[in-house]
Every structure is written in structure tokens, then in C-alpha cells.
Amino acid sequence: PFAVFAEPMLTYLAGKLSLESELELALSEGGPQYGYHGSLTLEALRAGPGPVRQQEPPMLELAKLEASEMDITPALLSIDKLHLSGLTLRLHVNEQGNLGFSEPSALEKAPPAQTQAEPVMAIAINEILVDGDNVIQFSDDSVEPPFKLEAGVHRISLKQLDSREPEQN
């Protein structure tokens, strides 16, 4: 069932997800209401746009992701701290100029659908911390000569991200 939401970018996913949570549900005149509070840990994540073969590493590997003090309501996703470590991200642009695909995806080919604007859930994250040994690998075969870059990232800290206050520093 996950593939319906993730395709075409993500068709391979493996890892261990642990949740500590509390979910409150209620029906009201405005429809179903919910509130979620908890924490999440994701370990040994491997994800990519196709089945991972032995000679082909996944697009994304992550040793550990921890989201603490998460609160989710219909209007807001709030996280106190999002901590990532052991990240390897591989981005490859093929000769056609597409990221990780041999041909444009169905979403890229389809004309944009005319829909009514849905209310957008606000996102507030007090801190995103990336530390440890992390690597971003980028290659581009659409240019001559082909371009390759590998960057080591040891520590990134982003604080007070809030989509309700887009003008804040």
C-alpha cells in the first residue's frame, strides 16, 4: 500500500520503525478529529526508486532517525527534535537529465490536474540535527564531461523551523 503514495520516486523501502505513541480520536460536527503524541525511531533505513541489487546501492541509507515529542493534529505537525545520523544520499542524473529514472515518470508526463486548494498542514520543528559520518554523493551524466561530487557532512543544525512563520530567519 505504501507504493501508491511513494511512486514513482520510491519503490524500495526497508528498515525498522519503532513508535511510542498515544492517539486520541473523536467525532464532531466538523468530522473526525484526532490528536497524536509520541516519538518515532527509524533504524537501518534503505530506500530507492527500484529494487536494490547487490551491485546497485540504494538511493538513501540512514543508520538512525529519531523524532522526539511529536504532536500531530489536523492543522499541525510539531516535532521537538529530528535527529539523523549515518546518512548516505546518492543522487544521480542520467543522460536524459532525469533524476534516477531512464524515462520521465508518469507524474512528469501527466498534465496538472485542476483541483481545489486543500488546507495545508503547518509544520513546526524546533531542531533538526544531522551528525556523525554522513555522505552525499552526486553524479550527473547529462553534462560533458560527466560530473561527480562526494561531500562529507559531519554536523548540521537547523533550529526553529515553522511554516506558519515563513519570514522568520
Side-chain angles (χ1 to χ4, degrees):
F2 174 79
V4 172
F5 299 105
E7 284 181 341
M9 287 300 292
L10 192 62
T11 57
Y12 174 81
L13 178 68
K16 179 182 176 185
L17 176 68
S18 302
L19 291 171
E20 240 180 76
S21 61
E22 185 176 296
L23 178 64
E24 294 180 20
L25 299 170
L27 288 175
S28 69
E29 288 182 17
Q33 300 294 312
Y34 62 90
Y36 168 90
H37 178 78
S39 61
L40 169 147
T41 302
L42 181 58
E43 296 178 280
L45 175 68
R46 294 170 51 90
V52 175
R53 298 171 189 92
Q54 281 188 324
Q55 69 273 20
E56 245 180 75
M59 182 183 286
L60 172 69
E61 292 181 274
L62 184 62
K64 193 171 197 177
L65 176 138
E66 296 173 291
S68 61
E69 297 297 318
M70 284 192 333
D71 288 301
I72 303 173
T73 66
L76 176 67
L77 165 61
S78 172
I79 300 173
D80 180 50
K81 187 173 187 178
L82 194 58
H83 184 194
L84 294 92
S85 60
L87 169 71
T88 300
L89 178 61
R90 297 174 184 91
L91 300 173
H92 176 74
V93 175
N94 63 21
E95 291 176 353
Q96 293 77 31
N98 297 314
L99 182 64
F101 295 97
S102 57
E103 61 182 67
S105 69
L107 287 177
E108 292 171 321
K109 292 179 190 176
Q114 298 295 329
T115 60
Q116 268 188 316
E118 293 287 325
V120 177
M121 177 187 282
I123 299 174
I125 303 173
N126 189 45
E127 181 180 14
I128 297 176
L129 177 63
V130 179
D131 64 4
D133 292 327
N134 305 286
V135 177
I136 298 172
Q137 297 172 346
F138 177 75
S139 60
D140 187 347
D141 290 337
S142 70
V143 297
E144 193 57 45
F147 177 78
K148 292 186 186 290
L149 171 73
E150 181 169 304
V153 178
H154 299 288
R155 185 173 176 84
I156 296 174
S157 178
L158 303 168
K159 294 189 178 193
Q160 298 174 336
L161 303 171
D162 194 332
S163 65
R164 298 168 297 183
E165 299 179 34
E167 300 301 320
Q168 80 176 3
N169 290 332

